[in-house]
Amino acid sequence: MSGVDHLHELLGLPAVDFQHASGEAPVQAADAAAWRISVDPYDDDAETTWEEAFKAFLETVDPAGVRALIVGQWGEAYEVKSSYAIDLIIAAADRLTSLEAVFVGDMTSEENEISWIEQSDVTALLNAFPDLLELGVRGGTDLVFSPSKHERLRSLTIETGGLPVGVIRGILDSELPALERLDLWLGVSAYGGDTDVADLAPLLSGTRFPRLTHLGLRNSEVQNEIAAAVASAPVVAQLRVLDLSNGTMGDEGAAALLDGQPLTHLEKLDLYHHFMTEPMERRIVQALEPHGVRVDVSERETPWGNRGVEGRYTSVSE
């Protein structure tokens, strides 16, 4: 796995590691940071469980002021589901009265490969925190997104090496009237990514989330097909940012975008990590940048083993 780092911020707040072993109160105010709580299950000298670390956090940082929580390693996350940490957070909902953002699974490949992270039904957090503005998840194994209703959620991010179609259907069957940003890492079939382009039709119609302005359909092994579908999708007219990065995009997908509906209203088109040729890179940049669109065509990749289309790869899989 590449291209996955620890979060640097959440809800516009800098990510700060809670030092549960120090016993000292943090210098940051409770509402001035996105607090990352993580334990290292591989450190023989550190025997603190995530439950103990979270308890120490609630006793050290004023929970009523906490606006953003980042759940890092909660133990051996390839065996223990994220519901372990999620349930503890929900149990403290009456104390976390200002919580507006949660990210579950902030781990790098050195800690746990993205497709090994054992997730669970993350919509429990939506039910417990009606004022949540941002929800993020890393890892698709056993991930569940039950059809939900939430009036305030503005941003939903699902980062996976393979996104199960059931998650897509759960999101698209949800009532999220305030949703402005949706970022989906679709991944590859070898790691559970069984979403077909046709499954995205309700999203691409533009009727599902009327306030959506940022759409990411990223990290896909069928990025060309997605680009072709997006090229004529009504949802594009309402977007400011279109993100098709980290996948297997080649000249085919880029040509479809250029031949489709106008994209000159966008603020940004992100095609980072792609397989386009240099002439196609120039074509798409020259077509859009004069209109004020920021186009990212950096990180041109080379297919494995000179195998052409079959040798293309996503940025993140295992």
Side-chain angles (χ1 to χ4, degrees):
M1 177 177 69
S2 63
V4 178
D5 299 315
H6 283 140
L7 295 186
H8 298 295
E9 64 174 36
L10 183 65
L11 200 69
L13 301 171
V16 174
D17 289 297
F18 174 65
Q19 303 296 333
H20 50 81
S22 71
E24 299 180 1
V27 297
Q28 295 88 356
D31 62 355
W35 297 98
R36 178 164 39 235
I37 304 173
S38 184
V39 297
D40 185 356
Y42 312 111
D43 184 352
D44 293 335
D45 297 326
E47 298 181 355
T48 303
T49 65
W50 199 91
E51 181 175 5
E52 291 168 336
F54 185 58
K55 180 180 179 182
F57 172 75
L58 295 176
E59 293 172 348
T60 307
V61 176
D62 176 19
V66 174
R67 298 179 59 207
L69 274 179
I70 300 172
V71 180
Q73 288 193 95
W74 53 80
E76 295 180 338
Y78 56 87
E79 292 184 344
V80 180
K81 293 185 181 298
S82 63
S83 54
Y84 162 60
I86 288 172
D87 288 349
L88 290 169
I89 294 171
I90 291 173
D94 60 339
R95 302 174 68 186
L96 295 165
T97 53
S98 299
L99 192 64
E100 295 178 311
V102 180
F103 189 97
V104 181
D106 184 30
M107 307 175 209
T108 66
S109 58
E110 288 76 17
E111 294 170 319
N112 207 57
E113 297 286 2
I114 193 170
S115 294
W116 298 3
I117 299 173
E118 290 284 337
Q119 283 291 350
S120 57
D121 190 341
V122 296
T123 54
L125 289 163
L126 295 179
N127 297 329
F129 296 96
D131 292 329
L132 209 64
L133 300 178
E134 297 186 11
L135 176 62
V137 181
R138 182 173 294 165
T141 300
D142 288 337
L143 177 64
V144 174
F145 197 101
S146 301
S148 304
K149 183 176 181 179
H150 197 282
E151 296 294 332
R152 298 201 65 198
L153 191 72
R154 294 190 313 219
S155 176
L156 176 61
T157 299
I158 310 286
E159 302 177 356
T160 76
L163 185 59
V165 68
V167 174
I168 294 285
R169 291 171 180 163
I171 293 171
L172 297 182
D173 286 340
S174 294
E175 294 184 39
L176 306 172
L179 195 68
E180 299 173 2
R181 178 188 178 113
L182 179 61
D183 192 4
L184 303 175
W185 295 21
L186 301 175
V188 302
S189 57
Y191 288 99
D194 57 354
T195 300
D196 189 86
V197 175
D199 298 311
L200 302 173
L203 171 62
L204 298 180
S205 72
T207 61
R208 202 67 204 90
F209 305 119
R211 297 186 64 179
L212 196 70
T213 58
H214 181 126
L215 177 60
L217 296 172
R218 310 169 57 193
N219 194 53
S220 174
E221 65 183 349
V222 292
Q223 204 74 60
N224 284 323
E225 290 87 339
I226 290 172
V230 165
S232 60
V235 72
V236 172
Q238 71 191 60
L239 300 179
R240 293 201 299 266
V241 176
L242 176 59
D243 189 345
L244 304 177
S245 64
N246 285 20
T248 58
M249 170 84 77
D251 284 4
E252 309 93 323
L257 290 174
L258 288 173
D259 292 340
Q261 64 190 300
L263 301 176
T264 52
H265 66 287
L266 294 175
E267 294 175 4
K268 183 176 182 180
L269 175 63
D270 195 339
L271 304 177
Y272 174 89
H273 178 99
H274 63 85
F275 293 84
M276 291 182 288
T277 60
E278 188 174 353
M280 182 56 78
E281 284 182 9
R282 288 197 300 269
R283 273 191 64 194
I284 202 161
V285 169
Q286 291 169 0
L288 296 176
E289 285 199 342
H291 297 277
V293 184
R294 291 180 289 119
V295 182
D296 188 346
V297 291
S298 58
E299 207 68 24
R300 185 194 314 136
E301 304 292 336
T302 302
W304 280 324
N306 296 317
R307 294 172 59 196
V309 173
E310 291 183 359
R312 295 178 186 177
Y313 50 90
T314 62
S315 178
V316 178
S317 55
E318 184 181 12

